Amino acid sequence: VYWSVSALTCTLDKAPRTWGGKMVMLAHGWFFLIIIASYTANLASDLTATGLAPTITGWNDVTSQGKGVKLAVPRGLAHEAFLAFETKHHGFQFDADFYDRWEQAMDAAALGTNGAAATFHDYAIVQYYLADTLQKRPTFDERCGLMQVGSTFAPVGYGFAFPLDSAAFIAFSQSIIKFKEEGEIAKLVHKYGVGAKAEAAIAALCPLNTSTRLYFRDFHGLSIMTGVIAGAA
């Protein structure tokens, strides 16, 4: 061990004379070389991952920074009305670019068009867009230029509205129950890339876990190889 460390630090003052001793020193030197190289690569990866961490972690970051965050928002939908409500009733100021389609707003946030840094949409729409983007774009930057952060802002379900004096909702309710029992709703969820399966696919291709810890099990093979070489000597 002393010889391996001194060789790597260029302070070598001893040298083995037998072939067995040379093989043992070679094994120890190889072991420490890999350890030091792994640590250096891990440190660089950790620093890079820290620099790539999102600066926006939720809606509170958008409201607190005000016009410091450029939003990409579809025009004429509930998004625009929501921003107007927040400005009128809570005094929040927003810097937003408006687009004709929600897909354009998502693309603008993903590509940083005109400095766009964020957008917000219904949860199912976000999942559909991310899953669809992952399948069609070839490179990592293109697939993962947009990530979902924060919790769901206002979790509510979808529904159909009927007049108070209408009995048509009974047929709709029965049909929905039938489709659910027959698995048709599950097929739609799978087809359009929403639900738990979509979350798993997104997480696999665009992992948000930036942990770069090194564990002993990462060097299990190296330890065995070093032991074999030293034992053979």
Side-chain angles (χ1 to χ4, degrees):
V1 175
Y2 169 79
W3 184 88
S4 300
V5 174
S6 62
L8 291 173
T9 57
C10 299
T11 58
L12 185 63
D13 59 350
K14 294 180 177 62
R17 297 188 178 184
T18 64
W19 279 107
K22 292 178 180 180
M23 291 296 295
V24 171
M25 294 303 103
L26 177 63
H28 280 287
W30 174 256
F31 180 84
F32 276 94
L33 176 64
I34 298 300
I35 290 292
I36 293 175
S38 299
Y39 171 77
T40 303
N42 182 75
L43 179 61
S45 176
D46 184 66
L47 295 175
T48 302
T50 301
L52 294 176
T55 57
I56 300 174
T57 58
W59 182 250
N60 289 335
D61 290 337
V62 176
T63 57
S64 62
Q65 297 182 42
K67 291 190 175 182
V69 177
K70 173 66 74 68
L71 296 174
V73 182
R75 181 183 290 107
L77 299 180
H79 311 70
E80 187 175 1
F82 175 75
L83 294 182
F85 178 87
E86 291 286 287
T87 300
K88 180 179 179 180
H89 294 275
H90 300 289
F92 296 135
Q93 299 295 320
F94 302 100
D95 182 11
D97 287 341
F98 295 94
Y99 296 85
D100 294 331
R101 297 174 55 84
W102 68 266
E103 296 94 339
Q104 294 174 338
M106 295 287 281
D107 288 337
L111 302 175
T113 305
N114 295 329
T119 185
F120 60 96
H121 296 274
D122 289 348
Y123 184 64
I125 290 179
V126 172
Q127 281 195 317
Y128 170 75
Y129 175 87
L130 292 179
D132 184 67
T133 301
L134 294 183
Q135 296 174 1
K136 292 183 178 179
R137 297 184 179 177
T139 66
F140 180 86
D141 290 338
E142 290 176 326
R143 292 195 308 266
C144 306
L146 195 64
M147 66 177 64
Q148 181 180 326
V149 297
S151 58
T152 305
F153 184 69
V156 294
Y158 292 91
F160 298 96
F162 297 93
L164 291 176
D165 58 349
S166 173
F169 74 92
I170 298 177
F172 276 84
S173 299
Q174 292 174 341
S175 297
I176 291 174
I177 294 174
K178 178 182 178 182
F179 289 150
K180 186 174 182 179
E181 292 176 345
E182 294 178 350
E184 294 298 324
I185 292 181
K187 293 179 181 178
L188 291 174
V189 169
H190 177 76
K191 178 179 179 180
Y192 291 101
V194 296
K197 190 168 184 178
E199 291 181 355
I202 295 170
L205 292 178
C206 296
L208 298 180
N209 179 18
T210 57
S211 175
T212 54
R213 294 180 179 179
L214 289 176
Y215 297 94
F216 176 76
R217 62 176 179 268
D218 298 328
F219 300 98
H220 185 67
L222 176 64
S223 301
I224 294 176
M225 183 173 61
T226 303
V228 170
I229 295 176

